[in-house]
């Protein structure tokens, strides 16, 4: 059994090399990729968030922890994005909204969506409504996925939804990120909300199926 408590501690300490090595070790032991992600990496980042909130640690430490988390994710990425077959892939355009630089959750959603057979066009962070819409048009995307981690940036999701409607863009808009929820989704008129990466993939599949049958 991998020492997930140690992995959590190493994420907290921002030890990139050790997090990478323990992540590889857990996979070598045959542990499930989602278990390693949830129990080894995300659980460590949760503690970082709690201590950050209580002013026990500050931005530089959080940044180091984020790098360590990404080092572990880089090991999991080939497994999360692996997908059988080369059928026509539906396109999702995804980004973190304007003003917001958090990208770990958005990246995870993207990896798992690729693993489920979607093509993900990742616009990165700090993405404007214009950039989202231009990418949807360019790639003929069926889904526009937005992530926000700040209460100050989640409101920008409505700006994007409004722009999509005003410009008559035919795309299903999905939102996620720690401060948003289903009520906010309804309030801004988005098509769907998901709490985590696995349910985001289920949501994308449901919306695409509904579009195809509609
Ligand atoms: Co920041 N930060 N941060 N931060 N940070 C939070 C979000 C915060 C909650 C910390 C806290 O106070 N406890 C707080 C926000 C408070 C608020 O708004 N209410 C905060 C703050 C205040 C800030 C700064 C303002 C700090 C400062 O400068 N004084 C600043 C803002 C910078 C900016 O964006 N403009 C800032 C900066 C940073 C770092 C750069 C240091 C770093 C980000 C590094 C990076 O992403 N590359 C960072 C981090 C790491 C965090 C915490 C600790 C961890 C976030 C994370 O990666 N979680 C975070 C604390 C927390 O969230 N509790 C915090 C792990 C990740 C797997 O989860 O992103 O929630 P999450 O994604 C999940 C789901 O939400 C969902 O699926 C994912 C996987 O399961 N999901 C979707 C996400 N997107 C989705 C999209 C979907 C569907 C599901 O559909 C499209």
């Amino acid at each position: 059994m991998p020492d997930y408590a140690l992995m959590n501690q190493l994420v907290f300490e921002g030890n990139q090399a050790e997090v990478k090595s323990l992540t590889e070790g857990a996979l070598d032991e045959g542990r499930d990729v989602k278990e390693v992600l949830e129990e080894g990496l995300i659980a460590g980042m949760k503690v970082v968030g709690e201590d950050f909130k209580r002013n026990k640690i500050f931005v530089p430490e959080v940044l180091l922890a984020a790098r360590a988390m990404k080092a572990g994710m880089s090991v999991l990425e080939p497994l999360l994005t692996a997908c059988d077959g080369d059928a026509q892939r539906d396109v999702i355009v995804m980004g973190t909204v304007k003003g917001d630089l958090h990208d770990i959750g958005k990246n995870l959603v993207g990896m798992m969506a690729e693993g489920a057979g979607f093509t993900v066009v990742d616009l990165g962070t700090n993405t404007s409504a214009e950039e989202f819409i231009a990418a949807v048009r360019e790639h003929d995307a069926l889904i526009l996925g937005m992530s926000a981690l700040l209460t100050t940036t989640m409101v920008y999701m409505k700006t994007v939804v409004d722009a999509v409607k005003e410009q008559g863009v035919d795309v299903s808009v999905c939102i996620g990120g720690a401060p948003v929820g289903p009520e906010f989704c309804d309030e801004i008129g988005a098509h769907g909300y998901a709490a985590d990466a696995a349910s985001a993939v289920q949501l994308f599949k449901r919306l695409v199926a509904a579009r195809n049958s509609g």
Side-chain angles (χ1 to χ4, degrees):
M1 178 78 178
D3 190 343
Y4 287 129
L6 176 61
M7 266 177 90
N8 295 170
Q9 179 63 26
L10 291 165
V11 168
F12 185 87
E13 289 171 6
N15 189 329
Q16 293 179 54
E18 282 297 310
V19 169
K20 190 162 186 259
S21 149
L22 285 190
T23 308
E24 285 162 350
L27 293 181
D28 289 346
E29 270 185 46
R31 308 308 298 198
D32 177 63
V33 58
K34 286 178 191 146
E35 174 192 295
V36 182
L37 174 66
E38 293 286 341
E39 296 184 33
L41 302 178
I42 293 183
M45 191 50 98
K46 223 170 245 169
V47 183
V48 173
E50 283 155 14
D51 277 10
F52 187 30
K53 195 172 171 183
R54 295 194 186 97
N55 292 323
K56 284 179 159 178
I57 56 171
F58 300 96
V59 171
E61 289 96 322
V62 181
L63 208 42
L64 285 178
R67 286 190 192 139
M69 168 108 190
K70 285 188 172 185
M73 278 165 60
S74 71
V75 176
L76 303 182
E77 182 168 8
L79 296 172
L80 290 173
T81 55
C83 169
D84 295 336
D86 44 23
Q88 163 81 40
R89 287 165 151 245
D90 294 319
V91 178
I92 301 176
V93 158
M94 184 118 69
T96 304
V97 296
K98 195 169 172 181
D100 200 321
L101 303 175
H102 296 84
D103 66 354
I104 294 175
K106 183 259 303 162
N107 293 349
L108 272 177
V109 173
M111 283 178 203
M112 289 183 65
E114 286 201 353
F118 290 96
T119 293
V120 175
V121 177
D122 186 353
L123 303 180
T125 58
N126 194 27
T127 311
S128 68
E130 295 73 24
E131 289 166 322
F132 274 117
I133 289 172
V136 166
R137 287 188 168 134
E138 181 185 345
H139 299 280
D140 219 357
L142 299 184
I143 308 268
L144 186 169
M146 287 186 274
S147 183
L149 265 289
L150 300 170
T151 46
T152 48
T153 57
M154 62 189 261
V155 290
Y156 192 76
M157 289 173 157
K158 179 164 173 8
T159 305
V160 179
V161 171
D162 290 348
V164 163
K165 286 182 184 159
E166 275 159 24
Q167 296 184 36
V169 185
D170 180 22
V171 69
S172 299
V173 181
C174 299
I175 65 165
V180 304
E183 297 81 14
F184 182 70
C185 176
D186 290 345
E187 193 185 309
I188 66 171
H191 297 94
Y193 155 81
D196 56 43
S199 27
V201 170
Q202 297 310 315
L203 171 67
F204 300 154
K205 285 182 175 168
R206 271 202 313 278
L207 287 170
V208 168
R211 291 175 70 92
N212 290 339
S213 68

